[in-house]
Amino acid sequence: MSQEQKLLVVKDLATTFHTPSGPLAAVGGVSFDLNQNETLGIVGESGAGKTVLLRTIMGLQPRTNVDVSGSVLLDGFEVVGASEKAKRSIWGLEVAMVFQDPMTSLNPVMRIGKQIDEILRVRLGMDRRAAKARALELLELVGIPSPAVRYNVFPGELSGGMRQRVVIATALAGSPKLLMADEPTTGLDVTIQAQILNLLEELKEQMKMSVVLVTHDLGVVATRTSQIIVMYAGRIVEMGSTREVFAHHRMPYTRALLEGSPKVSNPSHTRLLAIPGRPPNLLNLPKGCSFAPRCSFATDRCRQERPELENANAPGHTFACWNPLPVTQSVSA
Amino acid sequence: MSDTTQPLLKVRDLTVTFGSHRRKLSAVAGVSFDIFEGETLGLVGESGCGKSTTGKALMRIVEPSGGTIEIEGIELTTKNGKDLRNLRTRMQMIFQDPISSLNPRRRVKDIVAEPLDCWKTVEGAEREALVNDLLSKVGIDPVAHGNRYARQFSGGQCQRISIARSLAMRPKLLICDEMVSALDVSVQAQILNLLEDLKAEYGLTLLFIAHDLAVVKNVSDRVAVMYLGKICEIGPSDTLYESPEHPYTKFLLGAALEADPDSPIHGDVLSGEPPSPLNPPSGCRFRTRCPNATEKCALEEPQLVEIATGHQVACHYPLSTLARK
Ligand SMILES: Nc1ncnc2c1ncn2[C@@H]1O[C@H](COP(=O)(O)OP(=O)(O)OP(=O)(O)O)[C@@H](O)[C@H]1O
Ligand SMILES: Nc1ncnc2c1ncn2[C@@H]1O[C@H](COP(=O)(O)OP(=O)(O)O)[C@@H](O)[C@H]1O
Ligand code: SF4
Ligand code: SF4
Ligand SMILES: [Mg+2]
Ligand SMILES: [Mg+2]
C-alpha cells in the first residue's frame, strides 16, 4: 500500500492522564494505519484504552491533566497539538464518532430533527430549508420509519436502536471520511444489533468511508471487519487481517479472548479456556509484559522486558510476545 | 427425561401483570415449563420480553397474577409468611449487577453468612468453617479476603461472593439473571466454568436467564425462547440451536454472530422492533414481524405443542413442516 492511500496514520501515540494517584497511561504508545474504505476492529476488555484511543485520534481530550504525544495524521492533518479551531474544522467533516450510549450524544430536550439541522447549518453552512431537507434525507438513510414524523420527536421517545440510528445520522451529516464507532451496539438486542451493523456496512460502501469499530464482541469483529487490533492495558498486543489473527494468533492473550468466549456453534457444556485474574491496574503496570501475571507461558524475561510488536508470517500481522504460540496454532480445526 | 420423573419445578400458566386496570401490562402472559432435577434450563429473548419478571415471580419477589408454581410438588403461590420463607431457602437468585447487589459496607464473610444468620442454622465455629469453605469454593481466599469490604472487590469477584452467599442455604434451584452480562470476556469464562463446577458438586438445578445466545447454550441442557411475555419455543439446546422450529428463534439465532471470520452473516435480518407489551398483537404475538404469518395467525393464538420429544413450539406453521411442503 502506498502512503497516499492511507487515510489514517497513527505513530507512537500515548495518552497519559495525571490523576491524584499518579500518571495513568491509558494509551501507552500505539502505532497503526488505516486504508481508505476499510473497516478496522479494535477489541479488548474494559479499561484497555479503546475509548481513550478513539478520543485521542479525534483530538477530543479534557483541557487539563492530560498529556498526548506521538502523531495522528488524518488525511494529512496532524491532530496532535492542533488548535481547537483547527480541530473543529475536521470534526464531522473528516472524522465523526458514534458513542456507546446514544443518550450521551443527543440532547434530550431538543427534537431530533433540530439536532441534525443544527449540525448541517453550523458545520456546513446550509440554510434552514436545505438543512431540513437534508436532515429528512439522513433520517431516511439510516432507516428511521416515517422520517417526517420522527423529525419532531424527542430522543426519549425513541427506542435504543432508533436512537442509535439518529446518532449515526448526525455523525454522517458532514459526510466524514472516517467514522469511529465506540461499541455502537452494546446494550442493544441481537436483532437490533444486526440491523445497525448492516446499516453501518451499507453506509460505508455508499459513502466510501473508513470505519473504526470498537467492540468487545468477537462475533462482531470476526464478521464485520477486515483488520483487527487487540489491545491490552493501553497497548496493541496483536494486529493484522481479521482472518489471519483469528486463524493464526500468536499472542496468548489473543487466544484467551478468542477461546474464552462461548460460541454458538460449540455443543453445550463446552469447557471454556479461562485465564486467571483480570487486567492490570494502569496506575501500577508490571515492568515487562503487562499480561505476564496472568500468562501461563510467562518466563523471567517476560517479567523484566517488555516485548515489542514483531512480524508474524503473513504481511501486516504483528504480535508482541517473547514466547509466542506455535505457528500452527489455529482456533478452529 | 422420562415421563415418570417429577420435575423439580413445575410452572403452569404463570402471568404477571403490572399497572392499573386501564394501563395493564402483561409482562408474563401465561408461561408454562418444567425444570428437572440437575438440569439447566436457559431462558433467552430480547430486552423487555419478560425474562427477569418470570425469574422474580418464581421467587415471589414480584407477585404472580395467575398460574401455579410447584417446587418439589409443593405449591408456592398459595403460601405466605413463614411457609413461604421456608420454601424460599430452596431457591436463590443471582442478579446481573454484582456490585450493587452486595452491601458495600459489610465484610465479605458476613455477606456470605447473611442467610445463615437470618435462619440461625449454624453459629460460631461451625458458621465460620462453612463460610470459609464457601469462599474457597468460589475462588476467594477466606483468610486474605474474608474480612475485606465488598466495595474493595471487582465485578467478577463480587459475582463470586454472590454465588457463595446463594449457596449458603444449600438451595436446590438457582435462578441466575444475566449473571455474567456485565463481566469482561476473560472473567465471564471464569464464572461460567465455576458455575458448571459448582452445579456438579452441589447437585444444583439452574434457571439461567440471559440475552447472550452463545452463553446460554454453553451452560444449558434445554433452552426456552421468550417473545413478548410468552414462550414460543422450548427444546434441548443442541437441537434448538441446530434446527429451530419457531420463526422468531431462527431470526434470533441468525442475528447471533459467530466469532469466526469464515462464518456467514445470515442474510435474513428481522425488521422492526417488538410491539409494546401494553398492546400486544392478537393471535400470535410475533405475527407483526413474521414473514410466514397468515390470517389464521391473527385470529388464533398458537399453543405450545410437542413437535419432537422434549421439543415444543408455539406456531401454526413450524419451520420443519413448512420445509416439507
Ligand atoms: N415493576 C414494573 N412495573 C411496570 N412494568 C414493569 C415492571 N417490571 C418490568 N416491567 C415491564 O415488564 C416487561 C418485562 O420486563 P423484564 O424486566 O421482565 O424483561 P427482561 O426480559 O428481563 O428484559 P432485559 O433483557 O432488558 O432484562 C417490560 O415491558 C418491562 O418494562
Ligand atoms: N479523563 C480521564 N481521566 C483519568 N483516567 C481516565 C480518563 N478517561 C479514561 N481513563 C482511564 O483510562 C483507561 C482506559 O479507559 P477506556 O479507554 O475508557 O477503556 P475502554 O474503552 O477500553 O474500556 C481506564 O483505566 C480509565 O479509567
Ligand atoms: S511475553 Fe511472556 S508473559 Fe507476555 S504474553 Fe508472551 S509469554 Fe506471556
Ligand atoms: S403462528 Fe404464524 S405469525 Fe406466529 S410465528 Fe407461526 S407463522 Fe409466524
Ligand atoms: Mg470504552
Ligand atoms: Mg432482565
Side-chain angles (χ1 to χ4, degrees), chain A residues 191 195 243 265 269 275, chain B residues 46 186 190 218 258 262 270:
Chain A
T191 60
Q195 294 172 2
R243 192 169 293 275
S265 59
H269 304 298
I275 50 168
Chain B
E46 290 176 278
S186 68
Q190 296 165 7
N218 185 264
E258 188 67 284
D262 290 321
L270 186 58

Side-chain angles (χ1 to χ4, degrees), chain B residues 249-323:
Chain B
T249 313
K250 185 153 187 243
F251 278 113
L252 201 60
L253 290 169
L257 297 168
E258 188 67 284
D260 173 2
D262 290 321
S263 77
I265 301 176
H266 301 266
D268 297 340
V269 169
L270 186 58
S271 58
E273 301 189 356
S276 159
L278 280 169
N279 187 16
S282 67
C284 174
R285 295 187 160 212
F286 185 56
R287 73 174 164 84
T288 51
R289 300 167 86 192
C290 180
N292 307 341
T294 65
E295 217 171 302
K296 183 179 179 187
C297 304
L299 297 171
E300 265 177 58
E301 182 178 339
Q303 302 300 319
L304 263 185
V305 292
E306 189 150 74
I307 190 160
T309 318
H311 191 172
Q312 296 171 299
V313 58
C315 170
H316 294 310
Y317 312 103
L319 294 172
S320 63
T321 62
L322 279 184

